[in-house]
Amino acid sequence: MYKDFGPTKAVTDMTLELKRGVVTGLVGENGSGKSTISSMISGVYPPTKGTMTYKGQPYSPKSVLDARKQGIQYLTQEQGTIDGMTVAENMFLGEEESLGKKGIVNIKKINARSAEILKENGLENVIPTKMVDDYSFEERKMIETARALSHQPEILIIDETTTALSQKGRDRIYEIIAEQKAKGTAVLIISHDLDEVKHLCDEVVVMRDGIYINTLTGGDIEPHNIRQNMIGREIDGSYYRADYECSYDEEVVLEVRNLSVSGIFEDISFELHKGEILGIGGLSECGMHELLKTVYGALKPSSGSVILKKNGVQLKNTTVSVKNKIAYIPKDRDKESLFQATSIKDNIVTAALDKLKKGFIITPSSERKMADKEAANIEVKMRDIEQQVRDLSGGNKQKVVIAKWMANDSRLFIMDCPTRGIDVGVKEKIYKLMNRLKNEGIAILMVSEEMMELIGMADRIITMKDGKLSKEFERSAGLTESTIISAIV
């Protein structure tokens, strides 16, 4: 199959087979065409050239709903429910007439059937009549999963769904995969977690630059072997920091004093030093993600303060933070950091408009020059800077987020799961960037749900449990995942 988006060739001569009762992994670097393949199978858009065959017959779905009706369910990485609608309305979107008569939607039946589906999937606490906006990102992903399983699928596509979930959510997805495999469903998994791929998959198909590279089975499904096939070269050693020294300047850049947000976390205090990477680890529900939002000024604390030591400024809101050259890279980049319907250029310059001003004027040429420079520095794979951000892969979207803050000459980076849902090649680039920033004296505050990322990159790690700080660890060769896990569970 082939898929072009104007001059951009997303998929070139790709062949893929899905078999009943077989879990197939689809891996490749960001921009390799994995999600494009899934989107064609699930009816998001048609192939430019080539054919699809389903159950021995030609297959060309007219829409996602058409594909669903034929037994193909697609779970994506990003949010797939619509704000401003109830849980039940989301679950039966496009299928309302199945529980109505003569064009009249029977809301009572939709609510009742939604309650049954939610209960069947262990979501008894989710209320069908409640607005979906009231639920967390993870709860919404599980609602989507329940919707997908409400009709027994013939093909189940799971596209980076686990990256945004807690361990509990991931375990539920793993159970679903095992259940569907036992029922004879063909399961396609797209994941950058290569240990997850090894654990779940019967075979692994590797793509690179839109082209089929290899199919791995049995003992060949090993992370190192998968990476080599993805990148086309050997990866020398680890891409984390090579040193085991807890090294940073004595100068304190940021001080967090007795910070609390009612019902989420309480009495958090720590200092961040110049040239330090300070990692925060814990279970998803421990409050660490909300802590970063509060430090940045996006969430108002119930008590406590966040102070820049150099000038004594208190970070009370995001405007103050941006003005003081503080960058924030959120966990949910699509919703919280990018303007999806605008260009790469517009996204990159948005935090640095004051820097571009000459009097009251910002010229288009100055915007283009800045965007071109920052996109090139971080190697965004794109058609040009006028391309819309929503058309980029997850890794390239993350590069745009980082480029935005680099354009503003940020001196402190707050990173919430900076490598979530991106491939090994982009991870390597982000880790090298973090090392470079550290060596330039820039402070980094990082939350991560990956223990090895914390161990591999941080000078110090502070752990959280039940909304409170539980322990602190310094960088050392002997620090292990089990040691950190014992402090957060």
Side-chain angles (χ1 to χ4, degrees), residues 331-387:
K331 182 179 179 181
D332 187 353
R333 56 181 165 261
D334 277 18
K335 190 173 181 181
E336 298 180 50
S337 193
L338 294 170
F339 299 105
Q340 294 289 328
T342 59
S343 67
I344 294 167
K345 178 197 72 182
D346 291 342
N347 274 275
I348 288 177
V349 304
T350 187
L353 294 177
D354 286 343
K355 183 179 169 183
L356 290 172
K357 278 182 183 176
K358 290 185 177 179
F360 295 101
I361 298 171
I362 298 174
T363 63
S365 61
S366 66
E367 289 183 309
R368 285 193 297 271
K369 185 177 179 181
M370 173 182 280
D372 275 328
K373 176 189 173 185
E374 298 302 337
N377 281 345
I378 202 163
E379 300 177 15
V380 179
K381 290 175 71 173
M382 59 184 180
R383 183 173 65 248
D384 55 52
I385 57 168
E386 296 298 339
Q387 183 178 353

Side-chain angles (χ1 to χ4, degrees), residues 61 81 87 112 156 185-186 216 218 253 260 309 343 411 434 484:
T81 47
V87 171
L156 178 62
T185 304
L216 307 175
V253 174
S260 299
K309 294 295 286 183
S343 67
R411 300 302 300 169
M434 291 173 69
I484 296 175

